[in-house]
Amino acid sequence: MHFREILAPALAVLAVNMHSVLGSPAPVPDASQVEAGKQLWISTPESTAPPAGISLDYALHPARRAQPPTGVHLSEPKDRPAMNEQDRQAGFIRKSDVGSAAPVYRKQAPMIKGITSVLDSNQQSPLNGGNPLAFKSQKHPYVPNASLFDSSTIKLPLATNKWWQNLIVEKGVDPIHPYPYIVYCNTNSTKIGFPKFTVAPEHVTSDMSSEWELGDASGALTQRKVTNTDALGVEVTWSGSGSAQMRSRFYKGMPFQTFELKGVTPILRTTNAIIKVEPVQRAVLSARNTEAQVTTDAADIPAMSKITLNDNSQWLVASKPEIKWKQNEGTLTQQGAYTGFVQLAHLGDQPQNNINVLQQYVGTYPIEGTVTYAQVQGSDSTGRSSNIVYVYKTNTDVDGNTKQVYNTTSVSTTIQLLSFVLPHHVDKISNNTILSTGLSGYRSAKGRLTAVAGNTISYNQPLERVSFGGMRAIGDSDKERLKQQLLKDAASSTTVTAQDPYFYGKGVARVARLYQIAQEVGDKTTAAALGTKIVNLLTPWLVSMSNNDTLVYDATWGGIVSTLGISDPSQDFGQGRYNDHHFHYGYFLYAGAILAKYDINTFAPLREPMNQLLRDYANPSYADTQFPYMRHFDPYDGHSWAAGLFSFMDGRNQESTGEAINAYYSAYLYATALGFEDTAAFYEIVLNMEATSGRRYWHPMRSQSKDLYGDAFSHNTVGIVWSSKVDYVTFFGADTEFVYGIQMLPFTPATRMLIRPDWVKEAWCPDNSTCADGMKTAAQHANKNGWAQFLYSAYAMVDRNAALDNALACTPDDGNTLTNTMHWIFTNQQASANA
């Protein structure tokens, strides 16, 4: 969620809110009300279409986005500690689990043969030297809803941007999106749906309906809480005054939604009509031997029923021990209390083929998920990479064994876990893991889901080298030209007047880019003056705390927020409730990294507060008691989520991949400058993961876009990716230059990790008749402003000279300079002049 470029003064905000209350359209602030350099949004309200489900009034006015927009729900968060393990016998909850604290879960995967983690995330990070907080501590007025989580296992610091965040913000009523399902966790039941996606030219949306509701017929379940979390998922438990209990662990990519019941009288309801309930024969399946590598007694296989609904959808419902379902119209019940598990799985678009596959894996489900970022392998000449390894412990694994063991009357048997992976996984996953028979008709907002078998899933993440300087050496004539422009910008572009952390951070990073470029071209005099300027700009925010919008440590959630933001969620783009911290603080960290590299002694007073800013948004340690682990990053999706302590029906979202990449690029440079090699290696992996997902889902080629999102959505860029939908629009406008530009800024050496020459060439699309959404048309529409400059800078990957002339004719964005634009073009993949 990126509430971006158009914050008007308080008077305009008040007018917006007043108009909202009165029900009339909100006025658009005129140029005099918008901060200088921020007139990059939209020409007229008519030209801007908000994201699907968000009103125009809401989309145009960022100050209002902390309040629920029409048609979209907003809320708050919670996160962390431990997954309860289950009894060794499939489907039974140990009595000791009920009403007792859970053991601490493994945050990092156990030792895997042949895989060594790049970083031990269970140990303290070198970023945390045990020093006192550099920022004043205060309580947040927005208090966590304690009725939504178990405080004995969910402790400070609390997560604020996890994919399941809706469970613990506001009233916790908005759904979560464990692909390929949508799940509502109500107070006394759970609702499960299989989203139907609608593809249109400007968006891909999914419905929010549910097909099934599972609960207790006796009314014994009266509360639900998040009781544990781990690196990949979340545990939810329903209970009441008695011993009845229902529990589920939600992970993305699971074909079965599984619920453990203890002393519950199960009732399964559907809003549709049940056309047919057919028992599935519990026979020893020959296919089970082939795909699941198992020989087992029929009695050991959970009981299964195939249920057909009046919308022609079909579901597999399994239970162990067997539930003798009694049907009454759209309701299935069993008499008396039951202890065991229930699984539900949609049968996709080829029910008979899919049920043959699902039967082979029924009864196995994850109870713990961990992630390992493996040590870097290879070299620059052969290609560097890291294996990203997901390890799922299943319901009857013994001592972390990656195979499930059934105790049968004949032989011990092995059943692998069945799960789905996303397109970016498939690009680099072992073909041996992908099911030969497959499952058809399952997808997420990011495209088709592919079935894989195994408790351990590993894919190879290529690592692209990036550093402080540009990709190529600057040629002599280019260097002289750059030096002359540097002198001009050093004299005129080092004042930062913004008062909020986002725009102030952009301003400081702008000066830091000049400092880095001065070092590259060998202008030591200018570099020294710029270094002093950076210190002077950072000191009021990080040392003397004398700026108007002081940063403080929030002792309620565990993080660093602005004074205005903590008191008013509409201020500072919602950062007081943890929206966009990686965007905001990434700019500060870039400045800190550059200063630390070239003048570590001058940097010394800034080091501890800068360490804490980095720990706020990219803390690499689970052992840290002040900041949560990797606040924004999602290792399954391979990218970050924004949105913070706000709840949306559509789940989490992220708009600016460019600024997300800048956040981890800055983290990598910072750890490198301080000599923290393992931490730097970890950040390099995360940076490359963010860039890979950015290219795959925000910057696809047009053919890839159709394959991912559907034929009607043919753009080669995306404005906002949500958990359950995709929008070709931004939060601040729908003009094409905004959609392209926000995915690329700021331009640094890391930007080339996100944009490729073939993508730029296709996106430029000089023939307006074939693609009206082309980058060239957008640049012309932007009419030489900062957005146009970003697009021309990208075009340098295709035509250096044409790009240079046009880019230098534009007025820079407030985070950019002509010097930085020239440097990007001169050090691009095309050879520089006289190199």
Side-chain angles (χ1 to χ4, degrees), residues 1 22 98 150 192 408 413 458 570 597 661 675 806:
M1 181 172 65
L22 297 174
V98 181
D150 183 350
I192 305 156
T408 69
T413 62
S458 177
S570 70
K597 174 177 173 58
I661 285 170
N806 282 287

Side-chain angles (χ1 to χ4, degrees), residues 406-636:
Y406 277 111
N407 294 318
T408 69
T409 57
S410 54
V411 295
S412 293
T413 62
T414 303
I415 300 178
Q416 295 176 307
L417 179 69
L418 178 66
S419 63
F420 291 114
V421 291
L422 292 167
H424 78 279
H425 298 129
V426 176
D427 293 342
K428 296 296 180 181
I429 204 168
S430 168
N431 288 331
N432 294 332
T433 308
I434 298 175
L435 287 187
S436 58
T437 51
L439 289 168
S440 175
Y442 300 87
R443 69 159 297 170
S444 74
K446 292 184 172 75
R448 285 192 302 271
L449 297 172
T450 300
V452 296
N455 298 35
T456 299
I457 300 172
S458 177
Y459 76 96
N460 188 258
Q461 173 63 57
L463 300 180
E464 183 174 343
R465 184 81 73 176
V466 66
S467 188
F468 291 84
M471 181 178 180
R472 293 179 181 274
I474 305 172
D476 292 340
S477 62
D478 284 344
K479 183 179 290 186
E480 289 306 311
R481 188 175 181 184
L482 189 58
K483 282 183 175 180
Q484 293 303 312
Q485 186 61 51
L486 173 65
L487 292 174
K488 295 178 183 178
D489 285 334
S492 63
S493 299
T494 58
T495 300
V496 182
T497 58
Q499 301 295 307
D500 67 283
Y502 173 69
F503 286 114
Y504 194 90
K506 286 183 69 175
V508 176
R510 179 187 71 225
V511 180
R513 284 296 297 145
L514 295 177
Y515 183 40
Q516 168 64 32
I517 293 167
Q519 296 286 355
E520 286 186 56
V521 299
D523 188 340
K524 300 301 182 183
T525 301
T526 301
L530 289 168
T532 300
K533 184 66 177 180
I534 293 171
V535 172
N536 292 338
L537 288 170
L538 290 174
T539 296
W541 282 77
L542 302 181
V543 180
S544 65
M545 312 300 177
S546 58
N547 62 300
N548 292 332
D549 192 7
T550 310
L551 297 178
V552 297
Y553 177 78
D554 164 24
T556 302
W557 295 92
I560 298 169
V561 295
S562 67
T563 302
L564 290 177
I566 198 173
S567 60
D568 184 349
S570 70
Q571 294 295 315
D572 296 345
F573 309 109
Q575 84 105 264
R577 292 197 183 175
Y578 295 96
N579 177 55
D580 292 357
H581 275 208
H582 55 327
F583 299 161
H584 294 200
Y585 298 152
Y587 285 113
F588 283 83
L589 259 298
Y590 180 79
I594 302 304
L595 190 61
K597 174 177 173 58
Y598 294 107
D599 193 346
I600 192 67
N601 293 327
T602 301
F603 173 72
L606 297 164
R607 179 168 177 158
E608 186 56 35
M610 198 67 76
N611 283 354
Q612 292 175 22
L613 276 189
L614 179 52
R615 287 162 58 204
D616 175 89
Y617 77 82
N619 175 26
S621 170
Y622 282 104
D624 197 316
T625 59
Q626 294 170 322
F627 301 94
Y629 179 79
M630 297 301 290
R631 186 183 300 279
H632 296 274
F633 191 70
D634 185 328
Y636 180 85

